[in-house]
Amino acid sequence: MGAGHRYQGAAFAGSVARLSQLPPDTGAEVAFAGRSNAGKSSALNALTGRRGLARTSKTPGRTRMINLFALDGAARLVDLPGYGYARVPDATRRQWTQLLGTYLARRQALRGLVLVVDIRRGLTRLDWELLELIAERPVPLHVLLTKADKLSGGAARQALERARRCLEDAGIEASLQCFSATRGSGIEDLRGLLDEWLAGA
Ligand code: GDP
């Protein structure tokens, strides 16, 4: 495993704190969002097969920034700042929301959003707040229920169905899958979907 996919070539391409610092809004991007500690960095590492890749995003000062990873061609992976940190001043929180909101609402290169959710927690209030940010815009959404190795197969399937129903009830169109960075399960499904989203770029 590992060979033959375009994600292994991902190269850190910088961190930005302002949207004006983003690379030109051309080509194609897939963005990853999620609560802090949901498993977003581990998922990015597993996707690319590069253990240390998203560690860059975790260096102090960068967790609140948008981290960019260049793929071949005109494609990029975008690691959005995690949300839900405790003890963050309201003003900082508002800044993040604005950064995320404007990025998600305006970025033309955005081909899809992967929402990383800890399968044991399911979708939380903060995740719904994030989903509201794309409500006005039909960006394809994929919910990655990660840490699936922490549940039995049956419980994981139940959690998936529960999340699917909640999204349906809210009128939100999304695909969903179970994932485990630890076990390496669900990686091929994720790569397949991103291949579709990024096709042509
Ligand atoms: P982030 O803050 O969303 O980037 O989360 P991390 O990727 O740093 O993961 C947070 C914690 O969850 C770390 O202790 C990881 O080792 C753990 N973790 C992440 N993914 C998995 C997984 O698939 N299975 C298990 N068991 N633990 C995971």
Side-chain angles (χ1 to χ4, degrees):
M1 218 176 61
H5 62 82
R6 71 190 301 193
Y7 309 99
Q8 66 192 352
F12 180 62
S15 304
V16 306
R18 294 164 193 276
L19 297 175
S20 60
Q21 298 165 332
L22 283 171
D25 195 359
T26 56
E29 292 171 358
V30 171
F32 285 71
R35 288 185 72 109
S36 63
N37 227 35
K40 177 160 57 68
S41 306
S42 303
L44 279 163
N45 289 343
L47 167 70
T48 56
R50 305 261 306 280
R51 207 171 266 277
L53 185 84
R55 190 166 48 209
T56 322
S57 326
K58 297 221 124 191
T59 52
R62 285 211 171 120
T63 51
R64 292 168 194 192
M65 299 174 93
I66 294 179
N67 297 292
L68 300 155
F69 300 95
L71 300 174
D72 57 344
R76 291 177 293 273
L77 301 175
V78 178
D79 180 13
L80 295 172
Y83 42 91
Y85 289 96
R87 290 191 297 277
V88 170
D90 280 352
T92 311
R93 207 183 295 275
R94 275 197 298 276
Q95 265 171 11
W96 290 353
T97 311
Q98 212 197 349
L99 183 76
L100 283 174
T102 312
Y103 173 83
L104 291 172
R106 304 233 182 107
R107 188 76 173 166
Q108 293 304 309
L110 182 63
R111 293 269 183 94
L113 175 68
V114 177
L115 180 62
V116 180
V117 171
D118 184 329
I119 195 164
R120 297 165 303 174
R121 296 188 79 156
L123 289 155
T124 62
R125 183 177 57 81
L126 292 171
D127 298 313
W128 291 107
E129 283 178 20
L130 180 96
L131 292 175
E132 269 174 32
L133 300 174
I134 55 163
E136 302 296 314
R137 194 184 161 185
V139 181
L141 171 68
H142 187 62
V143 178
L144 198 68
L145 294 166
T146 194
K147 308 194 193 180
D149 56 282
K150 299 257 195 187
L151 298 180
S152 70
R157 276 190 297 280
Q158 274 178 16
L160 183 87
E161 278 319 308
R162 205 175 311 125
R164 192 197 302 281
R165 267 199 311 276
C166 288
L167 289 161
E168 259 172 32
D169 290 349
I172 295 174
E173 223 175 285
S175 50
L176 298 93
Q177 71 162 107
C178 293
F179 187 88
S180 165
T182 306
R183 284 226 189 105
S185 61
I187 298 177
E188 291 307 323
D189 289 338
L190 179 63
R191 285 184 190 144
L193 178 74
L194 266 53
D195 283 348
E196 284 174 29
W197 282 356
L198 294 170

